[in-house]
Amino acid sequence: QVHLVQSGAEVKKPGASVKVSCKASGYTFTSYGISWVRQAPGQGLEWMGWISVYNGNTNYAQKVQGRVTMTTDTSTSTAYMELRSLRSDDTAVYYCARGVTGAIFDYWGQGTQVTVSS
Amino acid sequence: DIQMTQSPSSLSASVGDRVTITCQASQDISNYLNWYQQKPGKAPKLLIYDASNLETGVPSRFSGSGSGTDFTFTISSLQPEDIATYYCQQYDNLPMCSFGQGTKLEIK
């Protein structure tokens, strides 16, 4: 069965970077894109961006454009999301999600808590 | 950018009630609309895709309808395990997408 397993919680200082991983199993990794969605405490879902695992193409939300990089390693079926120049409002749970037809998210990772605090 | 207006933001209903949530898009998005359920501390779960298609394994009491700018999500008979927050999501301009603000559903 399909699983997306994310890396553990992170605590970072403002201005630092964080890299979250998402290891996929149970399906052909290159056949689906991966999106990243975050959720600030008590808030709704915010789409951050997408990567085509097939060819590495990316598309980022304007809000994080310039600070985020999404990559994949097909040899380990792992997707990565790096966010730089962290601010307190980046504190959130970060999810990876498999996208069918681009943005029908049928499987999600368990979430990674990222806390930005001085 | 396409804005999604979801209502109500919260809802209290009794077990067995019919529950309806609406989502309005700021422009025509055809049927590119999904619905998710999120329970506290958990990842969202896909319930309905392409406005009206029930995801495999999801109980038939959940349904969706609509096209263009106006969409409806319905639980025909509310069960205790349906307590969650529900989100609509549009994906008219792939690969970008956006979510509604969410509807928190509670038992009366």
Side-chain angles (χ1 to χ4, degrees), chain A residues 6-87:
Chain A
Q6 298 183 221
S7 50
E10 303 264 11
V11 180
K12 297 292 183 180
K13 293 194 182 302
S17 299
V18 69
K19 191 170 186 177
V20 179
S21 67
C22 169
K23 184 171 177 58
S25 61
Y27 70 98
T28 302
F29 187 53
T30 52
S31 295
Y32 298 83
I34 293 285
S35 279
W36 290 86
V37 176
R38 70 180 179 178
Q39 186 170 38
Q43 302 301 307
L45 303 169
E46 177 187 17
W47 178 80
M48 296 180 67
W50 163 89
I51 182 166
S52 165
V53 178
Y54 175 74
N55 61 17
N57 287 349
T58 56
N59 189 293
Y60 302 135
Q62 196 167 6
K63 188 174 180 181
V64 295
Q65 178 86 41
R67 294 198 298 132
V68 69
T69 301
M70 296 177 186
T71 57
T72 61
D73 181 346
T74 55
S75 69
T76 60
S77 298
T78 303
Y80 298 92
M81 186 283 300
E82 181 179 31
L83 190 60
R84 301 176 294 278
S85 302
L86 288 167
R87 313 186 287 242

Side-chain angles (χ1 to χ4, degrees), chain B residues 61-105:
Chain B
R61 64 180 180 274
F62 296 101
S63 65
S65 64
S67 67
T69 60
D70 295 301
F71 301 86
T72 301
F73 171 81
T74 300
I75 306 173
S76 60
S77 177
L78 185 66
Q79 300 301 303
E81 61 267 30
D82 299 337
I83 297 314
T85 299
Y86 293 84
Y87 293 93
C88 62
Q89 174 220 7
Q90 69 77 24
Y91 62 103
D92 181 64
N93 185 17
L94 283 174
M96 296 181 291
C97 68
S98 59
F99 293 89
Q101 307 96 311
T103 296
K104 186 174 184 179
L105 178 56

